[in-house]
Amino acid sequence: MTEEAREKASAPSRPRPVSPPLIEVRNLKLWYQLQQHKRRSVKEVLLSPRKGSAQVHWALNGVSFQCHEGEALGIVGHNGAGKSTLCLVLAGILTPDTGTVQVRGEVTPLLNFGAGFNRELTGRTNAYLYASFLGIPHRVVDRRLDDIIAFSELGNFIDQPMRSYSAGMKARLGFSVASILDPKIMILDESLAPGDLAFKAKSRTRMMEMIQHSQLLIVVSHSCALLRQICTHCLWLDHGQTRLFGEVHQVLDAYEEAMGGEEILDLDEP
Ligand SMILES: Nc1ncnc2c1ncn2[C@@H]1O[C@H](COP(=O)(O)OP(=O)(O)OP(=O)(O)O)[C@@H](O)[C@H]1O
């Protein structure tokens, strides 16, 4: 995404583009089933012999928004507001219970670097495995493997089984594989710039390059400063519902005011 495109997309007075949105979400709802572990009385067991009753928790409860090419959408909200769940729906990993989600283009979710690594295999073999999980063809990894290894700074560890890796080393390999992607619609969690301070800075720079080249970025973050820097629009989720959606500065001004200028944790989760 070019600077010009971002400026164009964020100009509040301009009408939004007439081309169909790349992402269109209408009245999205999704619930999880929670197990109740409440001790039941003999009478309750006799009246209802099922082992445990399930309680429904609406993680998303009526979310609607649209994103067009050239935009970057930030998603904010308290812990448990539904941000990750929404990303999983947009990535096609979770299916909504009601509502519609239309995505025009391939989505690359960078949500959990290195998910699915096999501890017994070497870093090199895991690089291929993780690449195939991200949809990167084997031949592309063949061509870029030296870059991946160099970026990861793993050196000779690349041929050691992953059980000998620290969490930071695993995350570095995961990010290095993902960094060769050239995604059209990219969903990422900014907290996933992994590793020590030096590697974090390097991966943050690489993420910025990927953002520049993508057509649409969706980013979940607790950092309003970062979102103001890279996003054109923002969606504020509150207990699974859209609290506010619109131009990034308008939404974040309201969000920060409501938070009293601080990020909060919602300790009232089920
Ligand atoms: N697998 C699950 N089973 C049951 N409830 C879940 C499950 N995953 C998430 N939830 C619940 O759904 C709600 C939304 O969770 P989600 O992870 O999407 O929130 P979030 O905004 O991403 O939070 P955070 O900022 O802490 O990452 C929370 O109340 C959470 O407890």
Side-chain angles (χ1 to χ4, degrees):
M1 192 184 317
T2 63
E3 201 52 44
E4 194 193 349
R6 209 187 319 282
E7 270 169 27
K8 226 163 128 185
S10 63
S13 54
R14 276 173 205 270
R16 296 185 86 187
V18 284
S19 56
L22 289 185
I23 290 185
E24 199 169 5
V25 174
R26 284 197 198 162
N27 200 24
L28 167 62
K29 297 188 183 187
L30 183 142
W31 53 267
Y32 292 112
Q33 211 163 41
L34 304 178
Q35 286 303 315
Q36 282 187 321
H37 298 293
K38 188 173 77 117
R39 198 183 285 271
R40 298 192 303 154
S41 68
V42 174
K43 189 176 162 196
E44 282 172 326
V45 173
L46 289 174
L47 287 174
S48 171
R50 284 179 305 129
K51 278 218 169 105
S53 54
Q55 188 195 341
V56 159
H57 173 63
W58 289 94
L60 297 172
N61 198 359
V63 175
S64 304
F65 65 94
Q66 290 186 346
C67 296
H68 293 83
E69 186 173 338
E71 294 180 347
L73 176 75
I75 304 178
V76 291
H78 58 80
N79 290 130
K83 303 179 297 293
S84 306
T85 304
L86 176 59
C87 290
L88 292 173
V89 172
L90 295 177
I93 296 166
L94 288 178
T95 311
D97 290 295
T98 64
T100 57
V101 176
Q102 258 191 307
V103 179
R104 298 182 175 90
E106 202 174 320
V107 177
T108 303
L110 299 184
L111 302 174
N112 191 359
F113 294 122
F117 277 151
N118 183 321
R119 282 168 47 80
E120 300 310 317
L121 301 176
T122 63
R124 190 182 293 271
T125 309
N126 271 298
Y128 280 92
L129 276 180
Y130 185 51
S132 74
F133 168 76
L134 292 174
I136 306 172
H138 198 286
R139 67 187 145 73
V140 175
V141 186
D142 278 344
R143 214 170 52 234
R144 304 288 305 276
L145 191 61
D146 289 346
D147 296 339
I148 294 171
I149 297 171
F151 195 92
S152 72
E153 299 172 10
L154 285 170
N156 292 336
F157 266 94
I158 197 69
D159 291 311
Q160 294 298 315
M162 285 202 76
R163 71 179 121 78
S164 63
Y165 284 29
S166 67
M169 288 163 79
K170 285 182 207 157
R172 265 156 51 181
L173 182 61
F175 181 83
S176 303
V177 173
S179 74
I180 66 169
L181 282 164
D182 194 7
K184 182 177 176 191
I185 302 176
M186 185 158 91
I187 305 182
L188 65 86
D189 184 336
E190 64 88 23
S191 64
L192 289 172
D196 56 25
L197 277 183
F199 195 84
K200 254 188 211 312
K202 191 169 93 165
S203 48
R204 180 69 71 88
T205 306
R206 179 66 194 117
M207 266 191 193
M208 288 302 193
E209 284 167 16
M210 290 164 83
I211 290 168
Q212 295 285 330
H213 290 114
S214 67
Q215 292 180 4
L216 173 62
L217 167 74
I218 312 246
V219 56
V220 172
S221 177
H222 288 284
S223 165
C224 293
L226 178 91
L227 295 179
R228 284 181 191 277
Q229 194 190 337
I230 62 177
C231 293
T232 58
H233 294 79
C234 191
L235 172 68
W236 172 7
L237 288 180
D238 188 353
H239 293 95
Q241 297 185 321
T242 302
R243 176 85 174 260
L244 200 56
F245 168 69
E247 192 273 326
V248 65
H249 296 294
Q250 282 168 5
V251 174
L252 290 180
D253 286 351
Y255 177 66
E256 285 183 313
E257 197 183 326
M259 300 298 122
E262 289 179 32
E263 310 299 350
I264 57 153
L265 298 183
D266 182 2
L267 301 176
D268 196 23
E269 291 179 45

